[in-house]
Amino acid sequence: MSLHWTLIAGFLYIEIVIVLLLVLPVFSPQRWNRILNSNFMKALKSQASYYFMFVFVVLLIFLLDAVREMRKYSNADTHEHQHSHLDAEMQANMRLFRAQRNFYISGFTLFLSLVIRRLLILVSQQAQLIAQSEAAMKQAKGANAAARSFMNQKGSESEAKDGATDEKVKNLKEKITALEKELATVVNDRDAVKSQAASVTKEYDRLLEEHRKVQESISASGDKKRE
């Protein structure tokens, strides 16, 4: 395997490890959020889109080159080596096998780069929603405790302060209602992100299954051509 294909294969292995770390419950969303919001990651975020586009274009070029090599050696195996020497035929089959291997490597690498980008977005959104829901929950509990404290003091206060106390209690109740509505919205958004993450996982499994079927179809067609 040449140097650039070795590098792409190594990049593929790294992507597989990253996908496993994102899919499996190794780290909590809060920890992922801290990692993504670290100083190093913040420095990369400003240029992340350019890096992604560069890697995407490079992988796409190698994928197209692998497709070209597959077509080239498939045609050579069909037309030029029907009655050639066994060594030449084996060499052509070996080149065709390398082209197919490069196609699978570049194809999987390109596919996993898109999956990783989407998973990072979903993990970051989920972590932010969880942090917002926790903050809203603490704020609602604090407001509720303050309202109860004012309500307990209401009976011991004088009639002159009843109007002001009632107004404070009313304001606190309105604030609690608003916070509860905000908390419900945050919880619904968090559940929607979790559902979307589950849908992405299912779509990822479906795409892997389709890719496997395409791989089997290409292998079968290659065997038929050599026969």
Side-chain angles (χ1 to χ4, degrees), residues 117-131:
R117 184 172 182 269
R118 185 59 180 169
L119 287 176
L120 287 175
I121 293 174
L122 292 176
V123 169
S124 179
Q125 290 178 349
Q126 183 183 11
Q128 292 176 2
L129 288 175
I130 291 175

Side-chain angles (χ1 to χ4, degrees), residues 80-95:
E80 298 178 6
H81 298 286
Q82 290 180 351
H83 304 288
S84 61
H85 194 270
L86 180 61
D87 291 338
E89 184 177 358
M90 291 180 62
Q91 187 176 6
N93 290 333
M94 180 181 65
R95 291 176 179 174

Side-chain angles (χ1 to χ4, degrees), residues 27-180:
F27 299 115
S28 63
Q30 292 86 347
R31 180 169 295 182
W32 276 118
N33 190 42
R34 287 195 295 269
I35 294 173
L36 294 177
N37 291 327
S38 62
N39 294 330
F40 176 74
M41 295 302 295
K42 287 182 179 179
L44 291 179
K45 281 183 179 179
S46 59
Q47 304 292 332
S49 59
Y50 299 104
Y51 295 151
F52 176 78
M53 290 302 300
F54 174 76
V55 172
F56 184 84
V57 171
V58 170
L59 293 176
L60 184 61
I61 291 174
F62 281 111
L63 178 64
L64 295 177
D65 181 69
V67 173
R68 181 187 62 81
E69 292 291 323
M70 287 174 58
R71 294 175 61 87
K72 174 183 176 181
Y73 293 119
S74 295
N75 295 332
D77 181 66
T78 303
H79 299 291
E80 298 178 6
H81 298 286
Q82 290 180 351
H83 304 288
S84 61
H85 194 270
L86 180 61
D87 291 338
E89 184 177 358
M90 291 180 62
Q91 187 176 6
N93 290 333
M94 180 181 65
R95 291 176 179 174
L96 177 60
F97 169 76
R98 289 178 178 175
Q100 291 174 344
R101 177 202 62 193
N102 296 337
F103 169 75
Y104 298 139
I105 291 175
S106 58
F108 270 115
T109 305
L110 186 63
F111 173 73
L112 288 181
S113 64
L114 297 174
V115 172
I116 289 173
R117 184 172 182 269
R118 185 59 180 169
L119 287 176
L120 287 175
I121 293 174
L122 292 176
V123 169
S124 179
Q125 290 178 349
Q126 183 183 11
Q128 292 176 2
L129 288 175
I130 291 175
Q132 291 176 3
S133 65
E134 291 178 351
M137 184 71 74
K138 292 179 180 179
Q139 191 174 4
K141 289 180 178 179
N144 190 21
R148 289 180 178 178
S149 176
F150 277 111
M151 291 177 68
N152 293 331
Q153 294 176 3
K154 181 181 178 181
S156 60
E157 290 179 351
S158 63
E159 295 180 356
K161 296 182 180 180
D162 286 342
T165 304
D166 292 336
E167 185 66 22
K168 290 181 180 180
V169 172
K170 182 180 178 181
N171 292 333
L172 287 172
K173 287 182 178 180
E174 292 176 355
K175 187 175 181 181
I176 291 172
T177 303
L179 289 173
E180 288 176 350

